[in-house]
Amino acid sequence: MPVPHPSDVPRPEYPRPQFTRAAWLNLNGEWQFEIDRSDTGLERGLLERELADRILVPFCPESELSGIGETDFLEAVWYRRTVTVPADWADARVLLHFGAVDHDTTVWVNGGEVARHRGGFTPFTADLGDVAVSGGELTIVVRARDSRHGVQARGKQATWYANSHCHYTRTTGIWQTVWLEPVPRTVALKRPRITPDLASGSFHLELPLTANAPGHRVRATLSDSHGAITTAEARADLDLCPRLVLRLPDDRLRVWSPTDPHLYGLSLEVLDPEGTVVDTARSYAGLRSVAVHGKRLVLNGEPVFQRLVLDQGYYPDGLMTAPSDAALVRDIELGLRAGFNGARLHQKVFEERYLHHADRLGYLVWGEFGDWGCEVGARDDNQRPDASYVTQWLEALERDHSHPSIVGWCPLNETYQPLHDRITALDDVTRAMFLATKQADPTRPVIDASGYAHRVPETDVYDSHCYEQDPAAFARTMDGLAEDRPYANAAPDGQPWSVPYRGQPYFCSEFGGIWWDPQAAAGTAGDEREASWGYGERPRTAEEFIARFTGLTGVLLSDPDMFGYCYTQLTDVFQERNGVYRFDRSEKVDTAPLRDAQTRPAAFEGAPQHRVP
């Protein structure tokens, strides 16, 4: 199969913008492809033979952009492509990277297995060792299994044939960029962990390496638009993971914030005993802090009301894959245009390039996991997430730790199960994911589960979901936070799902969802009018929609103890017509009144701060 010209490669941009190397080879483009509906392909020889169809990677076979467009269940799919290792990669160890493959993946290169991975949202890498040599050919074969049965972190992917309610067309197989990267065979940098320390005006770096070779050193240099600021070095042969501190002088200190999303440049190097640079990579960092002052969640020591929007990251033609890098940027710009200053990235681990754009545009983000898919039990033990949830979540935390735009973590969403005197799988996994998050990243607040079942008493943040459509009734529901009796979701019969509130920062992390479909309101939507849905009665006019939006957001903006909210949602998604924008990102309504409604001063931002003794 010929290698496409770079101008023909879909999604050609570098997929890992916070850890870049100059040399790499994008493997997006045309691959051989075959559907294996009964998962018998290995027995039938699909590993050894040419495949029957063609697909455009990185788009999943269910999407239009893939060239396949098959939306029925795909138990397994196969990919095959032969590539040539660049001749100038001599003496390098070649890594084969996958941004995300849904869901259980096996990779073979030149007939030998090189990787297995479970999880549809997180990256993995195959070290090709001695298989890859400069100028040599690599035949890459990928099998992805994606059963609709049993426990699996699927996010919003439907486990029945058709889209309905808030479940959408599935994603199977490769849906993010595939690429090759050469690294030194002796010592090479692995992904760094960059942690800002605003209190001391410094960055803490952890620089894991592929090996600890005698006499080697690591070096990091921080820079801004005026040039290099500071450099730090350390031996790389004593500690398994060398650590560095880069301290900023006062005259070069600039804080990252939504109003000034300043990013420092960062150069990372490995030096051999003679002082020769043997590996180098580029990164960036933003200096900011997140802290809890009583009920207040503060950014850089200041109360910044978080006007968030729910973003599910689906596209009509690419499904979970954005059709272009510009589409990722546009979604953030659409949120900003409507008056939001951030997003809850819902039921999906977003492409890392989205986070890169959030970093540089000053867009606040709550990172989330696509946890829906464990509803396999019954009665009081209805949700049974397994160990793979913790594994995949840790992979997401490792990938995204260094992005300054992320101000909080949310490993679970809308888990629901009555509290009783038995410890269930949901209790175990909820606590495991909370503790894993705190161990992996003690610098950000963690909410154990968004809405519904708070099962960890010491969760950093407490929240609720409420889709009451009448602003006056919504105000009555949300009343009580000042007296430490905020609204908490419960079972229909009133049985509690959550442990009691303990005075944590609180926000309404889902509300609104107004069923606004101008075509349906005008009687021009045809059959789609019956299929569409949202919350509450549909407004009849744009003015009615704006009035309801203004009333609901106003309730939360007026509460001095509410640190933020998350409005549902940024765009329509298939039949779900409760977005500010349509699924194709066109405007449903003039967003200027929505921006005006949201950007009025929030009571939280003007309330007296609770001083910490």
Side-chain angles (χ1 to χ4, degrees), residues 59-113:
F59 303 109
C60 72
E62 292 89 347
S63 72
E64 295 176 11
L65 290 176
S66 71
I68 302 293
E70 173 57 82
T71 59
D72 203 348
F73 295 105
L74 306 176
E75 191 72 15
V77 294
W78 290 74
Y79 299 79
R80 183 183 185 93
R81 179 170 173 182
T82 297
V83 299
T84 300
V85 179
D88 58 356
W89 289 8
D91 301 322
R93 181 177 293 273
V94 177
L95 305 180
L96 172 60
H97 298 288
F98 293 86
V101 185
D102 198 337
H103 184 266
D104 288 353
T105 309
T106 306
V107 182
W108 296 266
V109 174
N110 291 350
E113 183 179 319

Side-chain angles (χ1 to χ4, degrees), residues 95-147:
L95 305 180
L96 172 60
H97 298 288
F98 293 86
V101 185
D102 198 337
H103 184 266
D104 288 353
T105 309
T106 306
V107 182
W108 296 266
V109 174
N110 291 350
E113 183 179 319
V114 296
R116 292 188 186 190
H117 182 260
R118 168 167 290 176
F121 297 108
T122 47
F124 64 97
T125 296
D127 185 335
L128 301 188
D130 295 329
V131 177
V133 296
S134 61
E137 285 195 342
L138 301 175
T139 297
I140 304 167
V141 178
V142 178
R143 179 190 61 195
R145 290 166 158 154
D146 193 22
S147 175

